[in-house]
Amino acid sequence: MPPSLLTALAVLAAYLLGSISFALVASRLFGLADPRSYGSKNPGATNVLRSGHKGAAIFTLIGDAGKG
């Protein structure tokens, strides 16, 4: 496989991973309300924590940090 194709696939994979909102994934997995509907209305770990579910907030934090 040519190196330029590998680079293009890596860029595409990074873009797709970066577009995942782990706050939305966590809220659906844990059966919580959409984090964009309360608090600061930002999908992030702090707003997920406002839902009262620490496990979902930790999942969101780890998922978002892993994207970095």
Side-chain angles (χ1 to χ4, degrees):
M1 194 176 281
S4 59
L5 182 58
L6 287 174
T7 301
L9 289 174
V11 168
L12 179 63
Y15 175 79
L16 292 174
L17 179 64
S19 68
I20 296 172
S21 174
F22 281 97
L24 296 178
V25 172
S27 64
R28 292 210 176 129
L29 282 175
F30 290 92
L32 305 172
D34 188 341
R36 298 172 296 181
S37 65
Y38 56 87
S40 65
K41 304 210 185 312
N42 280 329
T46 302
N47 219 28
V48 173
L49 183 61
R50 287 185 181 116
S51 73
H53 201 289
K54 290 181 184 179
I58 291 170
F59 177 81
T60 302
L61 183 64
I62 291 171
D64 286 343
K67 290 191 299 187

